[in-house]
Amino acid sequence: MAMPVGRTRIQERNRATILDAALEVFSQFGFRGATLDLIADSAGLSKPNLLYYFASKEAIYTELLGTLMTTWLDPLRALDDIGDPRAEILDYVHRKLQMSREFPRESRLFANEILQGAPRIEAALAGELKDLVDEKAELIRGWIAKGKIADLDPYHLIFSIWALTQHYADFDVQVRAVLGGADPFPGADAYLELMFTRLLERQ
Amino acid sequence: MAMPVGRTRIQERNRATILDAALEVFSQFGFRGATLDLIADSAGLSKPNLLYYFASKEAIYTELLGTLMTTWLDPLRALDDIGDPRAEILDYVHRKLQMSREFPRESRLFANEILQGAPRIEAALAGELKDLVDEKAELIRGWIAKGKIADLDPYHLIFSIWALTQHYADFDVQVRAVLGGADPFPGADAYLELMFTRLLERQ
DNA sequence: TCTTGATTTGACCATCTGGTCAAAGCAACG
DNA sequence: CGTTGCTTTGACCAGATGGTCAAATCAAGA
């Protein structure tokens, strides 16, 4: 019994509640480790009620992944040729770190999916994601050619931004344990600003 | 029926086989997502046979984590005041990247554990790990005070090394998808060398 | 109020999962 | 060969898990 496309307020609200609860659980335990009971409890709904709104556990998961993939790549999409190249890249770093702070569960959901071998988004990685990165790598290459930024491998530059910013969401527990519980983000923001400023300078 | 401390060759071999299979499965699915049946299949042993060598699923997992924690921190332990500070740190980066290439499963196991909130190693993070990092941060602060390397937050410097190097193990599928399947490591090694060289230079 | 369609749930099911156990297999030594 | 102790396994169990279904509840318009 598939949900009709036109949704009532109740449907809208309950689907949102379920997706939020599912994000909570899937981001912590991954697809296999998550259970419908955990999601149902977290959503405050009964298990059969979950399955009234979504066809299966898998359906909830893929809906989440699909929706988030778009949002998650928005900061990279916003990287363009309009402003100063170095400021553009630094802005991207800051936006990405901001997302780690505001949406750590989304970051962890992706991390979990990739760790498990990305069985459900491998196609999107090799398609949508690769295309976007290829395009932005070309943009960066142009900046390098014009001498606007230092000569760096654009792909690894992008990877390094992902790695550094997402680390603060995905490894939050570890970072806080080492820092004795202090908020890592102000320090991280300053450090990354400095790091990429120096890196991008022409020598 | 606990295993005796003195082990026969068969016990040694089977325990090793089981731990290897468990590493394979736990690193992909996390503790909750992994099953004894998967581990048993991967090890080529029967499930009751696994439980002849280890008391429980949990026992296998914690044994793995404990053993690996030590190995995993060895490169950081090796960071000392003997050579040139910049070379020391660059060495650490290279060693850590090397580990990502050689032991990606170990890296993913830790990533999975941390993602799940580190329920089984939180104590080690706040104890052993924090102590080690505090010690090395102090060492780095000394180098900064003596003007040997640029002025950087030592904690975030260490986090950035972890983030950048482990990314190539934990997000291997994504990195390869974006690169169209090419081996990321040579490029990563060169990029990280450049990145940290520039970062550590006194300005 | 009555009716209709959307929503919710208790009871249930087949399969999976961690774990047990008694019995069988096997290696080695006397 | 027979005994002894380590090793392996088939059968089994209780609880968890994804999912179904018919019946009950509820909201809102006629």
Side-chain angles (χ1 to χ4, degrees):
Chain A
M1 194 187 293
M3 275 298 103
V5 180
R7 307 229 172 83
T8 68
R9 310 99 249 175
I10 273 189
Q11 279 170 33
E12 214 61 70
R13 174 172 53 78
N14 280 347
R15 285 179 58 95
T17 305
I18 293 168
L19 287 173
D20 186 75
L23 176 58
E24 191 73 29
V25 176
F26 281 131
S27 68
Q28 200 180 142
F29 299 115
F31 181 74
R32 292 196 48 130
T35 71
L36 285 179
D37 284 308
L38 277 172
I39 299 172
D41 283 354
S42 172
L45 297 171
S46 68
K47 188 167 61 168
N49 207 1
L50 289 203
L51 294 164
Y52 173 72
Y53 289 102
F54 291 91
S56 64
K57 180 186 176 184
E58 177 106 22
I60 303 178
Y61 187 72
T62 52
E63 167 111 9
L64 256 187
L65 269 186
T67 310
L68 293 184
M69 176 72 105
T70 310
T71 324
W72 204 241
L73 290 178
D74 275 346
L76 183 55
R77 270 192 213 95
L79 191 75
D80 57 35
D81 214 350
I82 290 180
D84 171 57
R86 268 189 277 165
E88 279 286 322
I89 293 174
L90 283 174
D91 271 4
Y92 177 46
V93 172
H94 288 301
R95 274 195 301 269
K96 207 74 179 52
L97 186 63
Q98 181 83 3
M99 291 191 74
S100 279
R101 177 165 41 197
E102 283 177 29
F103 308 108
R105 300 180 306 173
E106 283 80 349
S107 185
R108 287 188 206 118
L109 183 80
F110 277 116
N112 244 314
E113 170 68 13
I114 307 285
L115 273 178
Q116 304 194 2
R120 287 153 234 269
I121 52 162
E122 212 164 21
L125 295 186
E128 194 186 345
L129 178 67
K130 182 180 190 320
D131 290 347
L132 180 63
V133 176
D134 281 343
E135 178 199 325
K136 299 305 177 182
E138 208 43 58
L139 175 63
I140 293 169
R141 239 196 278 279
W143 289 337
I144 294 170
K146 283 186 236 153
K148 303 274 192 181
I149 62 170
D151 186 15
L152 296 162
D153 182 310
Y155 289 95
H156 289 283
L157 173 60
I158 291 171
F159 294 154
S160 69
I161 294 172
W162 291 349
L164 288 164
T165 55
Q166 290 174 17
H167 186 81
Y168 289 96
D170 303 342
F171 290 77
D172 185 69
V173 187
Q174 176 176 269
V175 167
R176 282 178 202 270
V178 168
L179 293 182
D183 179 7
F185 283 99
D189 200 69
Y191 178 84
L192 294 185
E193 166 88 28
L194 183 64
M195 181 171 218
F196 281 100
T197 301
R198 292 204 186 158
L199 180 67
L200 295 171
E201 271 165 7
R202 279 165 294 155
Q203 305 274 301
Chain B
M1 195 187 295
M3 275 297 104
V5 181
R7 305 228 173 83
T8 68
R9 311 98 248 174
I10 273 189
Q11 278 169 32
E12 215 60 71
R13 174 172 52 78
N14 280 347
R15 285 178 58 95
T17 306
I18 292 169
L19 288 174
D20 186 76
L23 176 57
E24 190 74 29
V25 176
F26 281 130
S27 68
Q28 201 180 142
F29 298 115
F31 181 75
R32 291 196 48 127
T35 72
L36 286 178
D37 285 308
L38 276 172
I39 299 172
D41 284 355
S42 171
L45 298 171
S46 68
K47 188 168 60 169
N49 208 2
L50 288 204
L51 294 163
Y52 173 71
Y53 289 101
F54 291 91
S56 64
K57 178 185 175 184
E58 178 105 22
I60 304 178
Y61 187 71
T62 52
E63 166 111 11
L64 257 187
L65 270 185
T67 311
L68 293 183
M69 176 71 106
T70 310
T71 324
W72 204 242
L73 290 178
D74 275 345
L76 182 56
R77 269 193 213 92
L79 191 75
D80 57 35
D81 214 352
I82 292 180
D84 171 57
R86 267 188 279 166
E88 278 286 322
I89 293 173
L90 283 174
D91 271 4
Y92 177 47
V93 172
H94 289 301
R95 274 196 300 271
K96 206 77 179 53
L97 185 64
Q98 182 83 3
M99 292 192 72
S100 279
R101 177 166 42 198
E102 282 177 30
F103 309 108
R105 299 179 307 174
E106 283 79 350
S107 184
R108 286 186 207 121
L109 183 80
F110 278 116
N112 245 314
E113 171 67 12
I114 306 285
L115 272 179
Q116 304 193 3
R120 287 151 232 270
I121 52 163
E122 211 164 23
L125 295 185
E128 194 185 345
L129 177 67
K130 182 180 189 323
D131 291 346
L132 180 63
V133 176
D134 281 343
E135 179 198 327
K136 299 307 177 183
E138 209 42 58
L139 175 64
I140 292 170
R141 239 195 279 280
W143 289 339
I144 293 170
K146 283 187 236 152
K148 302 274 193 180
I149 62 171
D151 185 14
L152 296 163
D153 182 309
Y155 289 95
H156 290 283
L157 173 61
I158 291 170
F159 294 154
S160 70
I161 294 171
W162 291 349
L164 288 164
T165 55
Q166 290 174 18
H167 186 82
Y168 288 97
D170 303 343
F171 290 77
D172 185 69
V173 188
Q174 176 177 270
V175 167
R176 282 179 202 269
V178 168
L179 294 181
D183 178 7
F185 283 98
D189 200 70
Y191 178 83
L192 294 185
E193 166 87 27
L194 184 63
M195 180 171 219
F196 281 99
T197 302
R198 290 204 187 157
L199 180 67
L200 295 171
E201 271 165 7
R202 279 164 297 153
Q203 304 274 302

